[in-house]
Amino acid sequence: MPVTTHTFHIEGMHCGSCSLLIDDALEDLPGVRSARTALRQARTTVELDLSQNSSQDVVKAIEELGYRASPLL
Ligand SMILES: [Cu+2]
C-alpha cells in the first residue's frame, strides 16, 4: 500500500521537547515513515503506510504520551 500523509491536531504541547518527544514516539511506530511535529501550529504531519498501521494508532500513541490528538481532514 502506498504511503500517505496524515495531519493531526495536538493539544497539550508546551515546548520544543514536547514536539521532539512526539516525533520520536511516532517514528518508532511500524508503518510511520516520518513524523514532523510543529509546536506553534499544534499539529503533526505523519507519512503513514496504512497496510502497517492506522491513523487511530497514531492518535493512541500521542495520547499515551499525555497529549490529546485528533485527525485533521
Ligand atoms: Cu514540552
Side-chain angles (χ1 to χ4, degrees):
M1 194 177 276
V3 173
T4 51
T5 303
H6 302 261
T7 304
F8 303 84
H9 176 71
I10 301 176
E11 286 174 48
M13 290 195 291
H14 299 105
C15 68
S17 299
C18 293
S19 52
L20 287 176
L21 186 74
I22 293 169
D23 279 347
D24 287 348
L26 295 183
E27 285 175 350
D28 284 345
L29 286 180
V32 172
R33 297 288 180 266
S34 72
R36 280 172 292 120
T37 304
L39 173 67
R40 291 256 218 71
Q41 287 86 356
R43 64 180 55 187
T44 189
T45 302
V46 179
E47 292 191 318
L48 189 60
D49 182 341
L50 290 175
S51 68
Q52 294 183 50
N53 222 320
S54 73
S55 60
Q56 203 50 46
D57 294 317
V58 172
V59 168
K60 195 164 36 156
I62 295 169
E63 295 195 334
E64 278 170 3
L65 297 172
Y67 307 98
R68 298 213 7 104
S70 52
L72 288 174
L73 294 179

